[in-house]
Amino acid sequence: MRRIVRSGVACLLAFLLFSCISTGETVESSQQDQTALDAGADDGLVATTRGGESSSRTRETAVESLYKGAGLTVAVLPPELNGGEEWMQQSFQDNITSLLARHTDMTVLDRKNEDLMIAQQELSESGLYSEENAVEIGQMTNAQYVVVGSIRRLSTAYECNFRVNETATNEIRAASTGRHSLGDMESGAAVRQIVQELFGGLGIQLSEAELAALQKKNDLESTSITMLAKGAQAQAAEDYIQAVLYYNQVEGAFQQEAQDSTSRMLSATPENLTVRQRQQYNQLQQEKWKKIFADLQTYLDEKLWIGVYDLKVEEENATMSEISYKVAPGVKVFENRKAIIVAKKVLEEWEQVKKNGDNKIWIDAAFPYGVSVSDNYNYRFRLGLFDGDGNLLAESSMSASKWITDLFSNSTRYVVKSQKKYFNDARYAQGRDRYTSPLQGAAFYDIQIADMSENTVMPTVRILDVLGHYGNNGVCKLTLYSLVEWEALMAER
């Protein structure tokens, strides 16, 4: 019996000793595996490990270790133009800058970088750069790489050639050549393809998610960059109203720059000027604002009003030989929101200019009776009634008058509505019959049945022409849509 007990105790002790040894080996093995895992991760390798969690961690570490150019600086220059539109220089420079900053770890010098601006001014007043200039700019800004390019306009496309030069050796490290449509140039699709090819040449590695993000169209950013560049081009050409229109369409990260550009463009603040400088300043401001208001009036004459027609023909009365028709509801005339925003911005800036007492001398000389932009617009629509074969049976007319005195009398208090609200608030134009009696819609009376083609079930009505005017002599246009076209346009927005 004692022998049996001794044997049992010995077995138990042996089992415990074996378990301890096994546990120690397992811990040591795990530590070795973890050390190998970390080493493999540091080398950018994916190691085979025990357990899904460790494998997942290894993959994440490998993704994080993709080469992104950390520690490098790249300067992005405006491309050279050969027949392309001027806005493309700034648009491509900003687009490339934005994509490099987003998808790499490089330090990116954009067009607002002080060192880059000084280097550009010292080397080239034209904004065009040879390879030697590009390398010298890189050296002046301590950039290891410089992005340069050219855009050449062809008959139906734009040829884009871009490259990345290494400053130290003048070696071309990456290049992209391709042809793109105007739509791709405006939407940013061309730039995304160019940047992706430049990444390949530089060895910049993107994960699948990052590659998908680079290829994905970003309407907000691309449109904003394009509108900002077009605004700068219009401003340089002193097309102030068009510049305001472009700047107002900028959103997102570039919106503040657009707002600042608008204010600087329209502001008038003389400071520390000599007598002669002040005289020159007064003359320039007077000419500038005369042009601004003349251009604003022209712009409003072209773009201020929208007309949406819904001409439904209904039989009103019939005799044995004659028949009458009425048209309802007619045409709605309402404000174009974009035009309202442009006018409001210009008028608000004008109010700020007038508050500055230093501007009084040239304001009084240029606008002794104040600035007046017409707030009363009138439209007359001539309608035609047609039978089933397209023959004109009769004519009628309707008219509409519109006022926006609140905007022109006090722009700071005028609240801009949504485009849908402007449409919903508008009333249909009033029609008149041959006796000039006002009607809702329009009417065609006493149509001879014998004059109508035999296959006419219900005549149709069309707008023959529109006459728009303001004041005594001004002529203004109306952008016309059918109700179906208008609803489709609003659905797209």
Side-chain angles (χ1 to χ4, degrees):
M1 185 68 178
R2 291 179 179 176
R3 290 179 181 176
I4 296 173
V5 172
R6 291 194 189 99
S7 299
V9 172
C11 290
L12 178 61
L13 292 173
F15 173 76
L16 294 174
L17 179 61
F18 177 77
S19 299
C20 291
I21 293 173
S22 299
T23 302
E25 290 176 348
T26 302
V27 171
E28 182 178 357
S29 175
S30 298
Q31 292 173 344
Q32 291 174 348
D33 287 344
Q34 185 61 51
T35 302
L37 172 63
D38 293 339
D42 290 339
D43 293 335
L45 303 176
V46 179
T48 302
T49 59
R50 300 182 190 134
E53 183 177 351
S54 296
S55 297
S56 174
R57 178 170 177 266
T58 304
R59 286 193 296 270
E60 291 174 0
T61 306
V63 169
E64 292 171 358
S65 66
L66 292 177
Y67 176 69
K68 297 293 177 61
L72 298 176
T73 300
V74 57
V76 181
L77 304 184
E80 178 183 350
L81 289 181
N82 187 0
E85 298 182 49
E86 291 183 10
W87 62 264
M88 293 179 179
Q89 281 190 306
Q90 180 176 313
S91 177
F92 270 67
Q93 186 180 20
D94 284 351
N95 261 305
I96 292 174
T97 298
S98 178
L99 292 173
L100 286 174
R102 182 182 307 158
H103 294 287
T104 76
D105 293 331
M106 292 188 288
T107 299
V108 186
L109 306 183
D110 62 10
R111 61 181 166 83
K112 292 179 284 186
N113 179 269
E114 184 176 357
D115 292 336
L116 183 58
M117 289 191 292
I118 292 174
Q120 287 175 291
Q121 291 171 359
E122 290 185 6
L123 291 177
S124 176
E125 294 182 358
S126 66
L128 307 180
Y129 305 97
S130 65
E131 280 193 25
E132 292 74 19
N133 291 145
V135 169
E136 196 169 351
I137 286 177
Q139 293 170 344
M140 294 173 68
T141 58
N142 295 318
Q144 288 82 13
Y145 295 108
V146 180
V147 179
V148 292
S150 65
I151 298 173
R152 183 164 70 97
R153 184 175 183 177
L154 306 176
S155 58
T156 59
Y158 293 86
E159 183 179 74
C160 299
N161 295 284
F162 282 80
R163 64 185 183 276
V164 180
N165 281 36
E166 187 172 357
T167 303
T169 63
N170 198 19
E171 177 186 357
I172 297 177
R173 292 293 304 272
S176 171
T177 299
R179 293 185 177 183
H180 307 277
S181 66
L182 177 59
D184 287 343
M185 302 286 280
E186 291 181 323
S187 70
V191 170
R192 288 193 294 275
Q193 180 179 332
I194 290 167
V195 169
Q196 186 173 342
E197 292 174 356
L198 295 181
F199 279 173
L202 290 171
I204 300 296
Q205 304 168 35
L206 301 181
S207 66
E208 291 183 5
E210 289 171 329
L211 184 59
L214 173 61
Q215 295 171 338
K216 183 179 180 182
K217 183 179 180 181
N218 187 333
D219 289 327
L220 175 61
E221 180 174 281
S222 298
T223 300
S224 293
I225 289 175
T226 299
M227 291 299 106
L228 183 65
K230 287 186 175 183
Q233 178 182 340
Q235 180 177 347
E238 297 185 354
D239 189 352
Y240 302 114
I241 302 304
Q242 193 64 45
V244 173
L245 178 63
Y246 285 138
Y247 283 143
N248 187 68
Q249 297 177 65
V250 178
E251 299 181 54
F254 295 88
Q255 187 175 41
Q256 188 60 53
E257 181 180 354
Q259 292 174 349
D260 293 343
S261 297
T262 302
S263 296
R264 286 194 299 270
M265 176 178 67
L266 300 178
S267 66
T269 308
E271 294 180 356
N272 301 322
L273 301 179
T274 65
V275 175
R276 292 197 172 214
Q277 287 174 335
R278 183 172 179 80
Q279 180 189 31
Q280 183 181 23
Y281 164 85
N282 289 337
Q283 290 174 343
L284 290 175
Q285 290 300 318
Q286 184 182 97
E287 292 170 3
K288 182 179 87 170
W289 276 96
K290 279 184 176 180
K291 183 179 188 306
I292 287 174
F293 278 105
D295 290 349
L296 178 60
Q297 182 65 70
T298 300
Y299 173 73
L300 294 178
D301 293 345
E302 295 279 338
K303 303 294 185 182
L304 179 56
W305 299 107
I306 295 173
V308 173
Y309 60 90
D310 182 22
L311 304 174
K312 298 177 180 177
V313 182
E314 301 174 0
E315 182 178 325
E316 186 173 58
N317 190 28
T319 67
M320 293 297 293
S321 60
E322 296 179 341
I323 190 169
S324 299
Y325 296 96
K326 65 178 180 179
V327 179
V331 183
K332 275 189 175 184
V333 177
F334 52 94
E335 296 90 329
N336 179 350
R337 185 174 187 271
K338 284 185 178 180
I340 289 290
I341 291 174
V342 169
K344 178 177 170 63
K345 182 61 180 176
V346 171
L347 293 170
E348 286 176 344
E349 292 293 338
W350 173 245
E351 290 301 319
Q352 294 302 314
V353 169
K354 289 196 298 183
K355 287 180 180 179
N356 189 325
D358 292 334
N359 294 321
K360 188 176 187 303
I361 184 172
W362 65 263
I363 289 176
D364 288 346
F367 312 103
Y369 304 108
V371 176
S372 176
V373 180
S374 180
D375 57 3
N376 183 6
Y377 294 78
N378 299 282
Y379 291 94
R380 177 180 176 274
F381 305 90
R382 190 165 63 91
L383 306 179
L385 185 72
F386 296 83
D387 66 12
D389 290 340
N391 300 310
L392 179 63
L393 300 172
E395 294 185 16
S396 184
S397 65
M398 59 177 59
S399 60
S401 297
K402 299 296 295 185
W403 293 266
I404 47 174
T405 53
D406 291 344
L407 170 62
F408 296 116
S409 62
N410 194 332
S411 58
T412 58
R413 293 186 180 180
Y414 184 88
V415 178
V416 181
K417 305 174 185 177
S418 69
Q419 192 63 79
K420 184 178 180 180
K421 182 68 172 173
Y422 281 124
F423 171 76
N424 291 340
D425 287 351
R427 296 183 178 182
Y428 280 103
Q430 290 257 311
R432 293 182 179 275
D433 64 12
R434 66 173 64 178
Y435 306 108
T436 68
S437 300
L439 300 167
Q440 187 66 27
F444 300 91
Y445 285 105
D446 305 329
I447 308 300
Q448 297 296 313
I449 296 177
D451 292 339
M452 302 174 68
S453 64
E454 294 182 357
N455 65 350
T456 303
V457 177
M458 180 63 71
T460 57
V461 65
R462 295 200 303 265
I463 296 176
L464 300 178
D465 60 43
V466 181
L467 176 62
H469 65 90
Y470 66 90
N472 295 323
N473 301 312
V475 177
C476 50
K477 295 184 178 180
L478 186 71
T479 304
L480 274 174
Y481 299 91
S482 69
L483 182 60
V484 174
E485 291 171 337
W486 179 253
E487 290 176 342
L489 183 63
M490 290 297 98
E492 291 177 2
R493 297 181 181 179

